[in-house]
Structure formats: structure tokens, C-alpha cells
Amino acid sequence: MGLKVTTFNVEWMVSFFDGDWNQWDGTIVDSFPGKKLGSINLAPIPDVPAVCRRIANVIQAVDPDILALQEGPPREEQMQLFVDTFLGGEYTVFGSNRQWQRNYALVKNNLAQRCRTEDWDDDQFKSNWKNTPYHPWGTIKLEDRKVHDFHRLPLVLHVSPPGQANPLELVVVHTKSKFSKLKNPQQWEERETAAVKDALLVRAKLSAEMKMLRHYYVKRLSQVGDDHAFMILGDFNDGPLAEEMEREFLIHNIIDEVVGSIMEPKAVLTHGMTPDVIANSATTRFRNPMKNGALTEELIDHIVVSNGLLNGTSGYQFDQSSCVVNKAEFEAENDETAQHDERQLRPSDHLPVSAQIDF
């Protein structure tokens, strides 16, 4: 027997509900004129159901048993309406804390009764994701120290398939982005102080979130044992290689913090993909301010797994050869090109990643 798990950032689903949270009228709109949310400009979508069908067709082609979904709508009723309308009601919806971009797990109905989530509103659970200290670049005094909280709380899902003595634990994440005041290569080349410091600041906050994920994993191992079947999957907003700013200022690659230390070999996490697949994979592309606005592809959506899941001692066996970007399924629904960057033409600005777990 086995389970197929997929992570997919579906790009600002709240747009399908007219960009509304509290004043939502209970429908998926026919068209969306665009909207400004703080510093974010949500793109207009002339035909919303068509984009919904693009997303749904990708999901149905991949056909996961468990879908870790990021940038879902703020209300579970909105997510359920999308599932009922475009996915035939085949999934049960589990949500994390309510945000404009919310984390979800969609679980096939025949498995959902064997799942439970940690209560995101529980104070003890929330304490795992808050008050992590960091210092803005160049500060050392105690009064300069800041603390960071996870804005989009991870969704923790426990799955107990038939015949399994111990549950599989999945953590759905969407970490902080690297968007900053550093917008063009001239700012970088001239070391424009405000822009570079802001870019370093957002990376420090992202680093704090990786630290919280790491601490949560180590704590869980201490509670349930080294052979625990544990997985973190989602949009990490960081790739497998140190980019220029990390090489020059931070020394290390941010995502590596969650993997662990050579001093804790039993608590090391491993990337779900094989090295050859990692080297040839990308899940998003963007205009890179460090490269004069050139289109840059990067792998920032990941699945990382515990030793017990990778080597099978947990009672679950992660199939590393199965962990891939679902590019064919995505491109079958994608009409966007480098010259035509429009929300209407794509399922999302991220590609999904999937893997198989046997038991």
C-alpha cells in the first residue's frame, strides 16, 4: 500500500473570491478586477473559473492522496467551495491559521477520517512558532534584539493509515519571502545601504523561521523516538544553492538550517529528491534583481524527510526516486510565456512537487 503526497503553492486563491475575507458573498466570482492588499497588488483575472479549472486539472492529473496547499483562501468555506466545485468534492479540507495566504492539507475523503491536525489556536502549539530572537544587520546590543513570529503557521497533519501502528506526521509550510527594497543590480553593486540592509533583514527573519521548524522537529523526535516518520513540505522560499547575498553576508544557505547538524546525525533531515533531480529541477521563475531583471528559475518548493521515513525503520518507506516536480502535468494547463506573464494564463507561479510513501 502507499500514499502519494504533493505540495503545491496555488498563488493567491483569495482572488477567486473577489479578494474578500469578512465580506465574502459565498461565491467564486466570474471575473476579478485586481486589488491592492497592503504592498501587494493582486493581478486582475478576466475569467476566474478558467484559472480554477487550470489548477484543478493539474491536481487531478497528479492525483495526490494528500495535497499540501499554500496560498489558499483565508476561510475554510472558500477552500471547500473550490474543492466541491472543481475537484468533485473528493477531498476533505484541513486548514491552519486564517491569513490572506493560508496553509491547507486536502486529504482524499477515504483517508480523512484517519487524520487529525494540531490545533493552530492552541497556546502551547503556537508557542513553537513565535518569539525567536534575531538581530538586524550590524546591531549587537540587547536593546537592538528583535523577535520574529511565523505569520502563516505551519499546518501539522497526523495520518494513521490502516494497519499502521504509528502515524505519519506532515508539516505544511510557507515561509517568509525574500522580497525586499533591493530591486535592481545597481543597488547591489553600489551597496545602497537601506536596500541591502532590508534584504538582509528579510533573510534574517526567514532564517528565524527555519530555526523554528528545526526546533519543532528535534522536539518531536525527543517525544516519539528517532524512527519517527516525519516530513516537512511546502514553499520554503529558498533554494538548494547559496545565492550571492548569502555567500557574501550570511556565509550559509538558509534552507540548510532546517536540515540539521553533523553533531545530531539521528535528527538530520534529507531532501526528498535525488541529487541529480535536485540539480535539474525548478518550481518557480522570477525577475531577478541581482541579474538585471533576467528570468531566473529556482527550486524553492521542497519535501524533506526524517531518517525513519527515508530508511523505512518507521514502518513507512519514502520512495526517493518518485520525488519530482510535476512539470508535465503543470505545462499541460499552462499558456504563459516569458513574453506574456499574466495570471489568467497559468495555473500558478509555482509548480507542484510529489512523492510516494509505501507502507
Side-chain angles (χ1 to χ4, degrees):
M1 298 180 68
L3 295 172
K4 188 174 189 179
V5 297
T6 299
T7 177
F8 193 13
N9 180 323
V10 290
E11 190 182 359
W12 284 106
M13 280 190 82
V14 71
S15 298
F16 307 160
F17 307 92
D18 209 28
D20 259 322
W21 183 337
N22 294 323
Q23 304 302 317
W24 178 53
D25 66 1
T27 68
I28 294 174
V29 295
D30 292 327
S31 63
F32 176 59
K35 185 174 184 177
K36 188 173 180 63
L37 286 178
S39 62
I40 302 296
N41 289 309
L42 298 183
I45 307 174
D47 187 347
V48 169
V51 175
C52 291
R53 285 191 291 271
R54 289 183 192 272
I55 295 170
N57 288 345
V58 173
I59 293 170
Q60 290 174 325
V62 175
D63 193 26
D65 297 292
I66 300 172
L67 174 63
L69 185 146
Q70 301 91 52
E71 299 198 22
R75 297 173 61 154
E76 283 191 26
E77 312 96 282
Q78 294 171 326
M79 189 74 254
Q80 191 65 58
L81 179 60
F82 174 85
V83 168
D84 292 343
T85 305
F86 294 99
L87 293 174
E90 294 182 358
Y91 290 89
T92 299
V93 173
F94 297 89
S96 187
N97 67 317
R98 300 182 188 96
Q99 297 291 343
W100 288 106
Q101 295 177 325
R102 189 173 181 181
N103 292 325
Y104 285 93
L106 306 187
V107 181
K108 284 282 184 72
N109 293 332
N110 60 357
L111 181 63
Q113 62 182 355
R114 295 182 172 274
C115 298
R116 69 173 181 86
T117 59
E118 296 292 337
D119 181 4
W120 60 262
D121 202 28
D122 176 74
D123 287 340
Q124 185 173 354
F125 177 73
K126 288 193 292 187
S127 69
N128 294 297
W129 315 111
K130 61 193 303 185
N131 294 328
T132 295
Y134 71 95
H135 274 267
W137 190 262
T139 65
I140 58 174
K141 293 183 178 179
L142 187 60
E143 57 264 32
D144 295 325
R145 185 176 64 183
K146 309 294 183 183
V147 294
H148 181 65
D149 300 344
F150 246 105
H151 181 61
R152 299 173 284 241
L153 292 184
L155 172 68
V156 178
L157 180 75
H158 303 273
V159 186
S160 299
Q164 290 300 104
N166 298 309
L168 167 69
E169 184 170 354
L170 297 90
V171 181
V172 182
V173 300
H174 183 192
T175 60
K176 179 176 176 53
S177 80
K178 290 183 181 176
F179 289 124
S180 70
K181 296 176 182 177
L182 185 63
K183 302 295 186 184
N184 60 68
Q186 184 177 355
Q187 291 175 302
W188 170 246
E189 290 163 6
E190 296 178 358
R191 297 299 190 268
E192 185 178 304
T193 301
V196 173
K197 280 191 171 182
D198 189 62
L200 288 166
L201 181 66
V202 299
R203 284 160 174 78
K205 292 177 180 179
L206 175 55
S207 182
E209 294 189 2
M210 296 296 182
K211 182 178 180 181
M212 285 183 265
L213 282 168
R214 177 69 193 166
H215 284 181
Y216 180 79
Y217 170 56
V218 172
K219 184 176 81 170
R220 290 294 293 136
L221 285 191
S222 71
Q223 293 170 339
V224 298
D226 295 338
D227 289 332
H228 185 43
F230 186 95
M231 170 187 293
I232 305 175
L233 69 169
D235 178 0
F236 285 67
N237 270 309
D238 195 50
L241 301 175
E243 37 100 315
E244 189 171 358
M245 178 165 288
E246 291 167 348
R247 289 195 301 269
E248 185 159 336
F249 285 94
L250 300 180
I251 310 304
H252 62 279
N253 185 27
I254 295 173
I255 195 175
D256 290 345
E257 294 179 52
V258 80
V259 171
S261 167
I262 59 173
M263 304 303 292
E264 296 179 299
K266 292 183 178 181
V268 168
L269 288 161
T270 301
H271 201 283
M273 295 177 178
T274 63
D276 287 345
V277 173
I278 292 174
N280 294 285
S281 295
T283 54
T284 191
R285 64 180 185 178
F286 58 95
R287 298 288 178 182
N288 192 338
M290 309 288 279
K291 296 183 178 180
N292 206 28
L295 271 178
T296 301
E297 291 190 333
E298 190 172 6
L299 177 66
I300 65 173
D301 302 86
H302 306 284
I303 297 176
V304 296
V305 300
S306 65
N307 287 332
L309 186 52
L310 187 65
N311 61 31
T313 57
S314 62
Y316 301 86
Q317 180 66 64
F318 183 85
D319 181 1
Q320 201 167 18
S321 67
S322 72
C323 190
V324 295
V325 177
N326 300 111
K327 188 171 183 177
E329 295 90 341
F330 181 91
E331 292 299 344
E333 299 298 327
N334 182 40
D335 293 316
E336 186 181 57
T337 66
Q339 292 73 38
H340 294 89
D341 178 5
E342 297 177 23
R343 183 66 187 96
Q344 182 69 62
L345 300 177
R346 61 179 180 258
S348 176
D349 54 0
H350 289 245
L351 278 68
V353 177
S354 295
Q356 181 77 15
I357 302 170
D358 298 317
F359 53 88

